[in-house]
Amino acid sequence: MKSILLRFGELYLKGNNRYIFENKLIENIKFSLKSFTYKFEKTFGRYIISNYSQSEEFEIIKKLKNVFGLHSLSIAEEVDSIEEDIVKEVLKINVANKSFKVFVKRADKNFNKSSMVFASELGEKLLKKNSSSKVDLYNPQVEIHIDIRMNGKSYIFTNNIKCQGGLPLGTSGKGLLLLSGGIDSPVAGYLIGKRGMKIEAIHFHSYPYTSEQAKDKVIQLAKRLTSYLGEIKLHIVSFTKVQEEIHKNCLSEYMITIMRRIMMRIAEQIAEQNSLQAVITGESLGQVASQTIESMMVTGNVLKHIPILRPCIAMDKEDIIKVSNEIDTYDISILPYEDCCTVFLPKNPIIKPSLERCEKEEKKLNLEELVLDCLKNEEIIILN
Ligand code: ATP
Ligand code: MG
């Protein structure tokens, strides 16, 4: 019978908290497979999925590959741990004209042969059947694994499919992702999710300066992220009035810095209202004027109660693009609709803003009212 062996990595590190991580991981696996029928089994150090429809195997694997906390998986043939049955199954593997190596792992010590002895016996039998193949212990073309587990079953496989790794979603709290239509912030959302943090997202748009398509693009991006991050509550906030007011009243080179500070104030309030524990951005050190350490210091300064997490902070743009391609957000991110940050863009944005100057410029605005206005008119979309 075909089955899928699932392996998890870092959970081993978690000592007494391990059961919390495991329960979450199992919950997430089951959620991702909610539209399939199958049997789920837990043995020490492994999960096993079986009794599924063969025609759905591809889709099941695709879902499992996106579950954070899973390390790798193998599609295996499951047989009872009886020597003849295992031999029969191993001999079905095609090693003609190839080099191979047999690996036996015996978790069940009731099985009567040691791993080493059984592996070499299996190797000999395979060679006898396939005169064109040979054993290569160092660089085999085919790795044949026999995993003899405690449940009286053995699993035979030649493949190892890499999964996401990371920690189970929901084991590291919940944060608010500032999601623009760009390349970086969806990557930031994915990376922080991979460390176990659930997210909600917030997007600022400047209709009618920015188009409906610009907003739609962000909805599509959030939708793509759901295949890793589960359900996402997307808060959409109109930023038009704020930008008009800054443009009208404040020093133009401080425009972007002040915009960012107001975004952060709004984000912190929404985070508080929704019990979110951090704000997440796609910033990368030195990438643009608003991402120098001085800029980040004055932007971060407005947050009073929660941290800003910047998963892309030390990444080169090309590495961010690589991840963006892997998680399938790149093609949407490069659609040419403008972001609100490009509206009223000053010619010379300040590279090293001073905090005092920001505060002085902000005195020219009715900050509290502007923020409240944004909060009152937020639109919420649930994506899953
Ligand atoms: P991105 O590719 O994520 O848009 P970027 O390189 O364009 O990033 P900036 O425009 O400086 O950089 O934005 C920095 C970060 O601020 C973004 O990664 C995002 O987290 C946040 N941000 C920018 N614009 C918006 C917006 N309109 N709505 C929500 N968050 C935004
Ligand atoms: Mg951007």
Side-chain angles (χ1 to χ4, degrees):
M1 184 177 62
K2 276 280 193 68
S3 57
I4 305 167
L5 280 186
L6 307 178
R7 304 181 193 86
F8 37 89
E10 265 183 80
L11 296 183
Y12 282 118
L13 299 176
K14 298 298 169 187
N16 290 338
N17 285 334
R18 191 181 144 152
Y19 78 96
I20 299 176
F21 283 76
E22 276 213 57
N23 288 347
K24 205 45 153 183
L25 180 56
I26 293 171
E27 184 187 317
N28 295 345
I29 290 169
K30 291 184 174 171
F31 183 79
S32 82
L33 299 183
K34 62 182 183 303
S35 54
F36 305 97
T37 49
Y38 62 92
K39 183 177 151 210
F40 181 90
E41 202 183 333
K42 195 176 149 181
T43 73
F44 188 76
R46 295 270 190 285
Y47 303 140
I48 296 153
I49 308 262
S50 57
N51 286 12
Y52 55 86
S53 149
Q54 268 308 295
S55 62
E56 291 178 333
E57 186 174 81
F58 180 79
E59 285 303 315
I60 289 176
I61 302 282
K62 204 166 131 191
K63 294 273 184 202
L64 290 169
K65 278 171 76 177
N66 288 355
V67 175
F68 293 135
L70 284 180
H71 204 75
S72 66
L73 60 84
S74 296
I75 304 168
E77 199 59 52
E78 179 185 292
V79 297
D80 290 332
S81 294
I82 297 169
E83 188 173 335
E84 301 83 75
D85 291 1
I86 298 174
V87 171
K88 200 168 132 203
E89 204 51 54
V90 169
L91 288 179
K92 286 185 193 161
I93 298 169
N94 181 6
V95 288
N97 298 313
K98 289 195 183 119
S99 62
F100 69 89
K101 178 177 177 181
V102 180
F103 298 78
V104 174
K105 207 184 256 170
R106 187 176 57 133
D108 180 2
K109 300 297 178 209
N110 291 322
F111 188 77
N112 61 351
K113 272 189 182 149
S114 80
S115 313
M116 293 276 280
V117 170
F118 195 32
S120 69
E121 283 182 12
L122 286 168
E124 272 172 35
K125 288 192 162 78
L126 271 166
L127 279 178
K128 211 185 242 172
K129 190 179 166 207
N130 302 274
S131 55
S132 62
S133 62
K134 61 172 194 222
V135 172
D136 183 342
L137 297 182
Y138 302 102
N139 197 15
Q141 287 167 304
V142 186
E143 290 192 358
I144 301 167
H145 293 262
I146 294 100
D147 210 352
I148 305 169
R149 307 303 303 175
M150 299 293 282
N151 58 352
K153 304 281 180 194
S154 292
Y155 298 87
I156 297 147
F157 55 92
T158 56
N159 59 82
N160 187 307
I161 300 169
K162 205 171 159 358
C163 300
Q164 296 292 325
L167 298 174
L169 197 66
T171 56
S172 300
K174 206 165 174 191
L176 181 62
L177 171 68
L178 268 76
L179 184 61
S180 70
I183 295 169
D184 307 334
S185 43
V187 169
Y190 160 80
L191 289 174
I192 206 72
K194 193 169 166 180
R195 294 308 300 168
M197 183 173 269
K198 279 282 287 172
I199 63 155
E200 294 187 11
I202 179 168
H203 176 67
F204 298 93
H205 72 94
S206 304
Y207 189 78
Y209 301 109
T210 58
S211 60
E212 271 299 317
Q213 285 117 305
K215 177 173 139 186
D216 190 54
K217 176 181 170 183
V218 172
I219 296 171
Q220 280 186 59
L221 280 173
K223 176 80 189 156
R224 285 271 166 102
L225 287 176
T226 60
S227 51
Y228 301 94
L229 300 168
E231 182 177 284
I232 296 178
K233 182 173 172 186
L234 173 63
H235 304 258
I236 298 184
V237 171
S238 168
F239 211 50
T240 316
K241 179 87 184 297
V242 176
Q243 284 184 285
E244 284 171 346
E245 286 297 303
I246 304 174
H247 184 60
K248 211 161 33 179
N249 298 295
C250 305
L251 197 63
S252 79
E253 61 191 281
Y254 269 77
M255 169 113 200
I256 291 189
T257 316
I258 293 169
M259 262 172 56
R260 285 260 184 275
R261 282 166 58 90
I262 299 181
M263 281 184 181
M264 287 300 170
R265 289 183 175 96
I266 294 168
E268 185 169 42
Q269 298 251 358
I270 290 188
E272 261 170 30
Q273 288 165 10
N274 293 276
S275 311
L276 308 174
Q277 299 149 294
V279 169
I280 303 135
T281 76
E283 289 162 303
S284 158
L285 189 61
Q287 199 188 78
V288 288
S290 59
Q291 297 178 20
T292 60
I293 189 65
E294 291 81 2
S295 293
M296 288 189 221
M297 196 277 281
V298 295
T299 330
N301 188 268
V302 299
L303 286 183
K304 297 289 178 263
H305 305 294
I306 53 175
I308 303 182
L309 304 179
R310 301 177 173 96
C312 303
I313 195 70
M315 292 172 78
D316 289 349
K317 191 75 183 187
E318 59 190 84
D319 295 329
I320 298 176
I321 290 175
K322 191 162 164 258
V323 179
S324 163
N325 271 309
E326 283 163 8
I327 64 172
D328 214 14
T329 51
Y330 185 72
D331 58 327
I332 305 175
S333 290
I334 58 170
L335 293 173
Y337 311 117
E338 69 289 19
D339 184 53
C340 74
C341 294
T342 55
V343 177
F344 307 125
L345 196 69
K347 271 203 205 77
N348 299 307
I350 185 113
I351 291 172
K352 297 184 176 184
S354 101
L355 184 57
E356 294 72 43
R357 191 63 204 236
C358 284
E359 285 167 348
K360 196 168 150 204
E361 291 301 312
E362 284 170 358
K363 290 231 165 68
K364 301 174 187 169
L365 303 169
N366 191 338
L367 263 187
E368 221 165 284
E369 194 184 301
L370 282 174
V371 170
L372 269 181
D373 228 41
C374 288
L375 290 171
K376 246 194 290 175
N377 297 314
E378 75 166 321
E379 179 191 350
I380 289 175
I381 301 179
I382 306 282
L383 296 154
N384 50 37

